[in-house]
Each structure stands twice: as structure tokens, then as C-alpha cells.
Amino acid sequence: MNAKTVLISGASVAGPALAYWLDRYGFQVTVVERGATLRPGGQAIDFKGHTQLTVLARMGVREEIFRRQTGRADLQFLDASGRQLAVMTGEFLGGDVEILRGDLAAVFYERTADRCEYLFGDSISALVETADGVYAEFENAPGRAFDLVVGCDGVHSAVRRLAFGPERDYVRHLGYYYAVAGAPAWGMQASRPQRSVANAWSAPGRLAVRGGSKASQLYIFAARQLDYDRRDVAVQRRHLMEQFAAVGGEVPGMLAELPGLDDFYLDSMSQVRMKGRYTTGHVALVGDSAYGNTLGGVGTGIAVVGAYVLAGELAVAGGDYTIAYPRYNEIMHRYAKIAGQSNAGRFLAPRTALGIRARNWFLGSRAFDLMLKYASNAANDIQLQDYPALLPAA
Ligand SMILES: Cc1cc2nc3c(=O)[nH]c(=O)nc-3n(C[C@H](O)[C@H](O)[C@H](O)COP(=O)(O)OP(=O)(O)OC[C@H]3O[C@@H](n4cnc5c(N)ncnc54)[C@H](O)[C@@H]3O)c2cc1C
């Protein structure tokens, strides 16, 4: 009953954060990551509110994250002639502290790399529940038994598919796709720039963004579920170009640059719905695999809080997952509500010209200020146990 060995799938945000806590509580941790290395750079992500900043402080990484934060970027919506129509502030987009996803992953990874086992370039291919744990098979490494397995492998989680069932049962397509290309221009610099501005051009059901801290190019477009090969980047690029061919402003220039940008990634905007049941048998899910909502703006903070809660509950239960998992489900079901039912696609890329005008009006109105305030209160919404303080010092 008392778990000692834990296999984590995914080394982005949730995985290394969970590894950090489990290692600190005395578990033996193995992390398997499909990528050949830790992916550097990437889009900017952020933390909002007291709860999330408290977890970072308890991890001892809060100062470093503030040191490595981005300069923030305002997002200005322009018409085809370059006239400003509306602005979304860097405070709204970047929360209390904004950092590149790759930088954040590196902060967690550096604190766990020499104490946890990392298997890069591999993936779990099968999971078999046994009486006292889970037997995991890998695509490359030999199979092994673990006491517990945790899926931190994102919206398209392999662990969720293997342990809970097919993706269609848990992932809802929100009617939009997004694509990012190129890291932010300053992404790999050691020192962070001052505040910058990203420019956006709209058409019904389309938004194209150039610059800022998310990526050098970001696109959002409305579409029913597309049938495409997720490994065929050339086809995805072509598809994106067709979608934006008629959009004005600087978009034709952006599309011309697209083939030269690396780090291209296209995916559906989706919401993961587990109805508060993030565990089954010896398997649990943390982060986007459990409560993801693409571009919802709070995924990173929830992932880090989820890692903290799962590890803390396992530690105070002495490794007894039958006690810890129900507590984790209950706490995170409440907290993950801040990921909400929102559909960022519908807000950012309305499907009609009238909808676009309404969005621009809303961004300049008092109602938007109230929404900002609500979002920040919601992120503060939970009192967390001080798990490290509950346990005897190691
Ligand atoms: C353009 C963009 C902008 C965003 N902006 C924000 C923002 O402003 N604020 C915010 O809070 N969040 C933002 N997010 C969301 C945020 O990135 C996620 O919510 C957060 O990273 C959750 O982390 P995760 O570790 O659960 O999942 P992910 O970051 O998705 O990581 C999953 C990891 O698992 C690995 N993996 C996948 N499949 C397998 C497998 N079969 N075997 C092994 N490994 C596997 C992947 O390679 C990856 O390393 C944004 C996301 C995007 C794409």
C-alpha cells in the first residue's frame, strides 16, 4: 500500500514540478519524456494570484522565476491600415509573473536532474494494473514495475488514453485551432527585454499575432475538427496559409516568413473534462492532461498547484494512494474550476464582424476591468495545506 516508486510521463511543467516534491518527500522518481531533450524556449506562460505564488515560494523558486521573467507585452488589435482598435494589457496576458515555458521547465529540471531518473526520447506504450502497482512498458526501455504512475503529458496524454480510455471521451474540441511559430525574438537571450508590443489583425473567425512574448507568430482560427497527420508539419503549414490567405494588415508578410520559422506547432483548442476524477487504480493525472483548457491562461499555475497537492497528499498519507488520491481529486476539482469553461478562441477570434467590434469595445470598457479583478480573485480562491511544514524534516 505504501508507494515508494513513481513513474511520471512528461517533462514540461507539471512533470518536473511533481518530481521535485516527490523526491523531497523521499519517493524514488523516474520521468519519461518523449522529446529527445528538455525543450528550451517556447511560449510565455504565467502565474496568477497568492495560491500559485505561495507554491513557488515553498519550492524555493519564486525569486528565480521573477529574475527570469519576461518584460511583458501588450497586445494591440489593429485594422488593415495599422490604426489601433483595442489593447489587451500585458498585466492581463502575463498575470503576476510571466516566464517562457522552457525557462520554467529548466528551473524545475535543474532541481531534480541529479536526484531523479530522466528517460528522454521514450514513451510509455502500455500500462498494466497489478495488485500492488503498475507494470509499464516503454517504446525503447525495458518494461518495469512502479508503485504509482502519473500522467503529466499534456492535453493529448498517453497515460490518460492507456489508463482511462480514448481521448474523445475526455477532450472537447472548442471549435478553434491555434498555431505558434518561432520562439519570441528575444527568447534565448540571457537578459530579458523591457516591455514590448505584439500586433494583431482580425477577420471573422481569424486572429494573427506578430511579436510579443507568446511566440514570434501566433494564429487562431475557427474550424471544425480537421483530419490531418499531426506529424506532417508541411501540410499543417499549408493549411494555415489557406486559412489566412484573405486576412490583411501585415498577415501576408507573416505568411511569407512562416516557412523560415522553426518550432512550428498547430493543434486544436481543447478542454479536458474529467469531472473531478483525475485518478484510477494506481494512476493519476496532473496538469493539462487532467484539467487543460488551451490558451485559457491559467494552465501553468494549476499544473504547479496540482503537483504540489498530489505529492503533499501522498506524503501525509505515508504513500497510501487510497487515502491520497481521493483528497487530491477533491481539492483539485475545486481549484481547477478556475480553468473554467472559457473558450479563448471565441473571445479572441469572434466569428462575425459584429463580434469583432464587440470584442474591441469590451477590451476598452469597465466590464473588462471587472473581469480582470474576478480572474485574479479566482486564482486566490484556495487555502492550501502547508505540506512541507506538516512533515518531519528529512
Ligand atoms: C501558445 C500557448 C500559450 C500559452 N499561454 C499560457 C499562458 O499565458 N498562461 C498559462 O498559464 N498557460 C499558458 N499556456 C498553457 C501551458 O503551456 C500549459 O497549461 C502548461 O504548460 C501545462 O503543463 P503540462 O506539463 O501539464 O503539459 P505540457 O506543457 O503540454 O507538457 C506535456 C509534456 O509531455 C510530453 N509528452 C507528451 N506525450 C508524451 C508521451 N506519450 N510520452 C512522454 N512524454 C510525452 C511533451 O513532450 C511535454 O514535454 C499556453 C500554451 C500555449 C500552447
Side-chain angles (χ1 to χ4, degrees):
M1 195 75 91
N2 293 350
K4 290 267 177 293
T5 57
V6 183
L7 170 64
I8 296 170
S9 173
S12 173
V13 174
L18 180 66
Y20 169 87
W21 284 113
L22 288 174
D23 169 64
R24 188 157 155 193
Y25 298 140
F27 292 86
Q28 270 170 262
V29 182
T30 300
V31 184
V32 58
E33 162 60 45
R34 192 176 50 184
T37 55
L38 204 66
R39 258 180 63 198
Q43 317 82 29
I45 53 180
D46 65 280
F47 293 96
K48 293 182 177 73
H50 178 70
T51 306
Q52 297 173 9
L53 295 180
T54 299
V55 171
L56 297 180
R58 287 182 187 159
M59 293 179 86
V61 298
R62 183 176 154 146
E63 306 308 319
E64 186 172 352
I65 287 172
F66 272 88
R67 234 182 1 260
R68 293 169 84 155
Q69 68 181 310
T70 72
R72 292 176 191 278
D74 293 328
L75 175 61
Q76 58 172 351
F77 295 84
L78 304 173
D79 69 11
S81 67
R83 188 169 58 100
Q84 189 190 81
L85 301 171
V87 177
M88 202 182 256
T89 63
E91 281 62 35
F92 177 70
L93 291 163
D96 289 320
V97 60
E98 186 185 59
I99 180 171
L100 294 188
R101 192 202 50 75
D103 286 356
L104 178 67
V107 168
F108 295 152
Y109 175 72
E110 282 157 14
R111 282 163 175 76
T112 51
D114 57 350
R115 302 187 46 90
C116 302
E117 178 189 24
Y118 276 85
L119 303 173
F120 284 101
D122 209 345
S123 182
I124 300 171
S125 55
L127 290 173
V128 181
E129 275 277 336
T130 61
D132 46 8
V134 187
Y135 187 80
E137 284 177 17
F138 298 94
E139 281 173 7
N140 301 320
R144 272 153 72 179
F146 295 88
D147 296 329
L148 302 174
V149 172
V150 187
C152 298
D153 42 4
V155 170
H156 304 291
S157 169
V159 169
R160 192 187 55 228
R161 174 171 44 79
L162 294 168
F164 291 77
E167 182 164 312
R168 64 175 178 275
D169 292 350
Y170 300 103
V171 178
R172 183 168 154 248
H173 175 56
L174 294 175
Y176 282 86
Y177 279 76
Y178 75 95
V180 285
W186 44 269
M188 303 307 285
Q189 293 167 19
S191 65
R192 295 305 181 223
Q194 297 302 304
R195 197 178 189 101
S196 59
V197 177
N199 294 326
W201 293 271
S202 303
R206 309 275 179 280
L207 181 78
V209 181
R210 175 181 245 175
S213 48
K214 297 294 175 207
S216 32
Q217 297 190 4
L218 165 69
Y219 299 87
I220 295 174
F221 60 95
R224 284 171 206 264
Q225 211 133 16
L226 302 170
D227 188 17
Y228 67 95
D229 181 348
R230 294 193 49 201
R231 285 157 304 180
D232 193 340
V233 172
V235 167
Q236 293 170 30
R237 273 204 176 107
R238 238 181 359 256
H239 190 75
L240 185 74
M241 288 183 172
E242 282 163 22
Q243 294 283 338
F244 283 84
V247 183
E250 291 179 18
V251 177
M254 288 172 64
L255 296 177
E257 286 166 18
L258 192 59
L261 294 176
D262 53 10
D263 248 358
F264 179 85
Y265 184 74
L266 181 140
D267 198 0
S268 70
M269 293 183 60
S270 309
Q271 214 170 60
V272 180
R273 292 186 165 178
M274 303 294 296
K275 298 189 181 137
R277 289 221 39 219
Y278 315 116
T279 60
T280 178
H282 294 82
V283 178
L285 302 174
V286 174
D288 276 8
S289 62
Y291 17 76
N293 183 357
T294 314
L295 300 189
V298 286
T300 308
I302 301 181
V304 170
V305 170
Y308 171 78
V309 171
L310 179 63
E313 291 296 334
L314 279 166
V316 294
D320 186 342
Y321 74 99
T322 65
I323 296 172
Y325 278 8
R327 291 278 304 138
Y328 167 70
N329 283 325
E330 188 197 320
I331 295 167
M332 289 314 293
H333 187 41
R334 248 185 308 132
Y335 189 60
K337 285 204 173 106
I338 66 169
Q341 308 299 313
S342 65
N343 181 342
R346 217 185 292 152
F347 179 62
L348 291 169
R351 288 169 193 261
T352 62
L354 183 64
I356 292 173
R357 282 205 296 281
R359 176 202 65 196
N360 293 344
W361 170 83
F362 178 69
L363 287 172
S365 74
R366 167 114 182 87
F368 185 61
D369 289 343
L370 289 173
M371 192 176 100
L372 272 181
K373 206 159 167 233
Y374 169 76
S376 128
N377 288 343
N380 273 311
D381 204 14
I382 177 175
Q383 202 59 42
L384 289 172
Q385 292 256 40
D386 189 350
Y387 298 110
L390 289 177
L391 295 160

